[in-house]
Amino acid sequence: MKIEFNPQAFYEIRREPAVVAELDKIAQKTADWCNANGKGTYAVGSQQGRKAPQGRWRASVVTADATAIAYNAKHHILLRGLSAGGA
């Protein structure tokens, strides 16, 4: 038996609103945890990558001000937020 994959179907699955909503929910939960437990402001971003060939959707949590940058550098709050807050 030979399995043939359809790359366009994978691309469409990655763009499904339910998949994107789940990724955004996890990222927002992580950002909320970081904002509650760290100093400064943490923000969420979400976008689809270039279709070369995957076009994977990605959600990110980033430091949004200088206070958060300094706090994260010293206490690794974003890394802690991944395990404790969202993912």
Side-chain angles (χ1 to χ4, degrees), residues 18-55:
V19 173
V20 173
E22 184 64 23
L23 289 171
D24 289 344
K25 182 177 92 173
I26 292 169
Q28 188 60 55
K29 190 174 176 186
T30 302
D32 291 344
W33 188 91
C34 290
N35 282 318
N37 293 286
K39 292 183 181 177
T41 305
Y42 299 85
V44 174
S46 179
Q47 67 182 13
Q48 187 168 23
R50 188 169 58 105
K51 187 178 175 184
Q54 291 91 2

Side-chain angles (χ1 to χ4, degrees), residues 29-30 33-34 37 77-87:
K29 190 174 176 186
T30 302
W33 188 91
C34 290
N37 293 286
I77 196 74
L78 286 172
L79 186 60
R80 290 179 183 191
L82 285 175
S83 61

Side-chain angles (χ1 to χ4, degrees), residues 3-18:
I3 297 174
E4 292 185 30
F5 293 105
N6 181 349
Q8 183 62 31
F10 288 136
Y11 180 75
E12 293 301 323
I13 289 170
R14 290 182 185 108
R15 297 182 64 200
E16 283 288 320

